[in-house]
Amino acid sequence: MEINTDFEKMSFHDASINDVSRSDSKITIVLSGIFISKEHPGSNGKDLIVQNGVMTLYNASNEKSLTWLNDVASVSHKTPEYPIDEIMNAKFDGSTFHFDGFKETMPWHEWFIQATSFNLVAFDVVETTS
C-alpha cells in the first residue's frame, strides 16, 4: 500500500520513529503505529494501522530541531539527525512537515522539515475497529 495524499487523514499520535536517513533532497523515516482514517481515499473505507512503513519526504530543503526544557524558550537539539522517536502530533501545510513528541521518553521536541511532498509505503497494515 502506498499513500502520497491527504496527510491530514492520517494520525501519527503515538507512532514510533525507528530510523531516519537522508540522501540528496530526501528524508526517509521508518515508522510504526500510523493510523489511517477510513475517510482517507487509500484506505478502502476501513480504519487501518500501519505497523511497519517507510515515509519519504521529497525536495527537503531545510530542517530545524528544537528541544523544550520549559515553556519559555527552546534550545538546540542534541541529536538533530534523529530528533524524535515517539510522535505525538504531525502536520503538513504543503511546504513544511511539523512533528513533535518525545526522544528517549524526554518531552518536548519539535522537528520542522521543509519539503514539498511525501510517500508512505506501508508494509504491514491491519484493520482496526477503534
Side-chain angles (χ1 to χ4, degrees):
M1 165 184 238
E2 283 193 48
I3 293 176
N4 54 25
T5 64
D6 298 275
F7 191 86
E8 71 283 356
K9 292 181 179 154
M10 298 186 291
S11 173
F12 290 78
H13 185 78
D14 286 336
S16 297
I17 295 178
N18 303 313
D19 193 27
V20 177
S21 61
R22 294 161 182 83
S23 68
D24 300 322
S25 62
K26 292 189 277 189
I27 298 176
T28 303
I29 306 168
V30 179
L31 297 153
S32 59
I34 303 161
F35 173 79
I36 301 172
S37 167
K38 63 185 171 191
E39 280 80 34
H40 194 287
S43 73
N44 293 323
K46 300 175 183 173
D47 286 334
L48 305 172
I49 301 286
V50 177
Q51 293 183 322
N52 183 11
V54 175
M55 186 168 64
T56 304
L57 308 182
Y58 294 98
N59 302 309
S61 58
N62 192 24
E63 287 183 72
K64 179 170 70 171
S65 303
L66 302 174
T67 297
W68 293 87
L69 301 176
N70 55 43
D71 61 357
V72 178
S74 62
V75 297
S76 295
H77 200 292
K78 291 181 182 175
T79 56
E81 67 281 355
Y82 195 152
I84 294 174
D85 57 19
E86 182 180 351
I87 300 170
M88 296 309 288
N89 301 295
K91 292 184 252 179
F92 177 51
D93 66 9
S95 65
T96 303
F97 290 88
H98 177 209
F99 300 97
D100 57 37
F102 299 90
K103 173 73 180 214
E104 297 169 356
T105 71
M106 186 189 137
W108 194 252
H109 302 282
E110 290 184 281
W111 188 17
F112 299 89
I113 304 165
Q114 286 182 324
T116 59
S117 60
F118 73 96
N119 187 55
L120 172 66
V121 177
F123 298 111
D124 187 7
V125 180
V126 295
E127 188 176 345
T128 182
T129 57
S130 56

